[in-house]
Amino acid sequence: MQHLPLEALRAFVSIYELQSYTAAAQQLNRSQPAISLQLRRLEELLETSLLTRSGGRIHLTPSGTELLEQARALLGLNDQIIARFTEPAVSGQVRLGIPSEFASKLLPQVLGQFAHAYPNVSLSVTSALSKDLLKDEQAHFDLVIALKEPDKRITRPGLVILKQEPLVWVGATAELSYLQDDLSLVVAPEGCIYRRRALGALRQANIPARISYTNADFSGLTAAIESGLGLTVLAQSTVPDNLSRQQRIGPIALPELGEVSVAMWQADTTNQAARQLAQFIQERI
């Protein structure tokens, strides 16, 4: 009887969710060749290809689409069983603050796995801009996931860096014209790292740009992008499936954007539920 290797399934899910073999290797504490080998052996075992590259993104094949949710369910059950027999009973409430794009793309599976593993913990999740989540007056959060500039030193107690995330240009999957006299941008309000990095990179590259649409809500931004109102900048692993990475618009090569730090702040280490969630997130992100 053959058995599905959980490590290979986790590699497959991580590569797709993070849209990067390198990021998946870092998350799973493996080398990139080891992650690639795990995926190849899983494909050999199932006798089908699971992932393919196109347009700067990693896509699921039909077989990969069929496997993804089953793999997530199997990994979630594995984590739930491990937590049930190895972790002490945990209960309570965790007030979690996260950027809205993380709530839509990166964290739902992690939070779902945590909820199954710790059914007595109540999660209260709020989405906002990173600058607002990390303000001192937002002390009503037990745990915060936020973006910060990688060159800024950590001065806030309880703040740790989870990983470095590449920033990418994002637009609609269809061929739409973002270039009139200036390059059209869809951005969040002032204070957003994505907005600041986009405008700074274009200014340094002498590419004229204008803000055509501003919205703090992530779903509103993505709807505007899909409608062809402009480009935006996002962390690579948060790009929605209905949008695509862009490297050039017509004759214009879009400038490099660098990386951003994904940070986690924990308010009170005596909150056992929050401490458990922080460890759970740190192991997976």
Side-chain angles (χ1 to χ4, degrees):
M1 180 179 293
Q2 293 181 311
H3 299 276
L4 286 169
L6 293 180
E7 296 84 357
L9 285 177
R10 206 177 292 276
F12 159 65
V13 172
S14 295
I15 292 167
Y16 176 68
E17 289 182 347
L18 298 176
Q19 287 291 298
S20 167
Y21 283 75
T22 301
Q26 292 173 348
Q27 182 190 60
L28 301 177
N29 197 27
R30 296 286 188 273
S31 67
Q32 184 174 333
I35 292 294
S36 299
L37 180 60
Q38 285 179 333
L39 177 65
R40 185 163 67 250
R41 286 179 174 171
L42 179 62
E43 291 178 326
E44 290 172 354
L45 175 64
L46 299 178
E47 299 182 352
T48 184
S49 62
L50 300 171
L51 298 173
T52 183
R53 287 184 180 273
S54 176
R57 284 183 60 80
I58 297 174
H59 299 276
L60 296 167
T61 66
S63 296
T65 301
E66 184 178 355
L67 176 64
L68 182 63
E69 290 307 316
Q70 295 173 325
R72 285 171 174 165
L74 188 56
L75 292 171
L77 180 59
N78 172 80
D79 295 345
Q80 184 179 350
I81 292 172
I82 294 294
R84 167 66 179 82
F85 288 97
T86 64
E87 300 287 353
V90 178
S91 61
Q93 182 186 41
V94 182
R95 298 162 298 178
L96 174 65
I98 54 178
S100 56
E101 70 274 18
F102 282 21
S104 300
K105 180 71 175 177
L106 186 59
L107 281 175
Q109 288 79 30
V110 174
L111 296 181
Q113 292 169 10
F114 181 84
H116 284 296
Y118 301 94
N120 294 324
V121 175
S122 173
L123 296 178
S124 175
V125 182
T126 300
S127 298
L129 293 177
S130 292
K131 71 179 184 69
D132 296 326
L133 292 171
L134 290 175
K135 280 183 179 178
D136 289 337
E137 57 263 36
Q138 297 287 351
H140 57 274
F141 291 117
D142 300 305
L143 201 64
V144 168
I145 308 296
L147 301 175
K148 68 183 295 292
E149 294 290 357
D151 58 339
K152 290 186 177 180
R153 291 182 300 173
I154 297 176
T155 58
R156 188 187 184 106
L159 190 70
V160 297
I161 302 300
L162 296 177
K163 66 170 182 170
Q164 304 297 325
E165 180 81 7
L167 296 181
V168 296
W169 294 99
V170 179
T173 53
E175 290 294 330
L176 299 173
S177 177
Y178 300 114
L179 187 63
Q180 306 297 329
D181 295 329
D182 300 327
L183 188 67
S184 299
L185 299 178
V186 172
V187 292
E190 285 281 0
C192 172
I193 288 180
Y194 298 143
R195 172 185 177 132
R196 184 165 61 246
R197 195 69 69 86
L199 293 174
L202 291 171
R203 186 165 50 248
Q204 188 172 7
N206 293 317
I207 299 174
R210 67 181 184 90
I211 295 174
S212 62
Y213 187 85
T214 302
N215 194 324
D217 178 66
F218 185 64
S219 61
L221 285 177
T222 55
I225 296 166
E226 197 171 15
S227 298
L229 293 182
L231 297 175
T232 198
V233 168
L234 289 174
Q236 178 176 264
S237 62
T238 67
V239 178
D241 293 336
N242 60 327
L243 302 177
S244 64
R245 292 177 55 180
Q246 307 285 333
Q247 294 180 309
R248 62 185 309 116
I249 300 299
I252 297 178
L254 296 171
E256 294 292 324
L257 295 159
E259 295 184 333
V260 69
S261 296
V262 181
M264 179 171 64
W265 172 74
Q266 189 174 345
D268 180 8
T269 56
T270 63
N271 183 332
Q272 186 182 13
R275 190 168 66 246
Q276 199 68 44
L277 177 58
Q279 180 182 341
F280 199 89
I281 290 174
Q282 193 162 6
E283 290 173 349
R284 289 156 178 79
I285 293 182

